[in-house]
Amino acid sequence: MSQVFSEETHRNLLARIPRCTGREIADRLRTVEEGPALRFEEKVSWLRSEHDLAYGHAKALIHEYDLRRAARKLLWTGVTNGNGPQAQLEF
């Protein structure tokens, strides 16, 4: 069973990723975007094995990716319905 991180722990893990891995969050999120279509824990395992990330960092990245993807989808739905702001969410 996977751990559940608080919002504060999630943000702290994300903040440490560039220092610990030498790559920015945006770079890591693009890696996830371009990677294989897997379920959450499978993506975490993939990041750990293929990109040598610690479990907490990999999990935080996948969670952040899913949050941003959901926000993009919500934003896109609002824009196409004429209800949402016209902004871009970037990885």
Side-chain angles (χ1 to χ4, degrees), residues 65-78:
Y65 173 80
D66 287 348
L67 288 173
R68 291 183 187 198
R69 193 174 99 214
R72 240 186 357 208
K73 184 176 180 183
L74 185 61
L75 178 64
W76 177 252
T77 302

Side-chain angles (χ1 to χ4, degrees), residues 55-90:
Y55 177 77
H57 290 155
K59 185 171 178 170
L61 281 167
I62 300 301
H63 182 64
E64 185 67 18
Y65 173 80
D66 287 348
L67 288 173
R68 291 183 187 198
R69 193 174 99 214
R72 240 186 357 208
K73 184 176 180 183
L74 185 61
L75 178 64
W76 177 252
T77 302
V79 169
T80 58
N81 291 336
N83 299 325
Q86 302 220 355
Q88 288 281 54
L89 293 179
E90 295 184 16

Side-chain angles (χ1 to χ4, degrees), residues 3-21 23-25 28 40 53-64:
Q3 300 170 344
V4 176
F5 297 142
S6 69
E7 182 64 24
E8 180 182 6
T9 300
H10 174 70
R11 293 288 157 215
N12 287 336
L13 282 166
L14 284 179
R16 285 193 295 260
I17 288 173
R19 181 175 46 91
C20 293
T21 69
R23 289 182 58 199
E24 295 299 318
I25 298 297
R28 294 290 183 182
F40 186 91
L53 291 175
Y55 177 77
H57 290 155
K59 185 171 178 170
L61 281 167
I62 300 301
H63 182 64
E64 185 67 18

Side-chain angles (χ1 to χ4, degrees), residues 27-60:
D27 293 337
R28 294 290 183 182
L29 292 173
R30 274 191 293 280
T31 298
V32 173
E33 176 74 20
E34 295 166 359
L38 303 168
R39 290 190 239 166
F40 186 91
E41 285 297 330
E42 293 169 331
K43 286 181 188 177
V44 171
S45 294
W46 172 74
L47 275 179
R48 293 184 71 208
S49 65
E50 295 294 319
H51 298 278
D52 199 30
L53 291 175
Y55 177 77
H57 290 155
K59 185 171 178 170

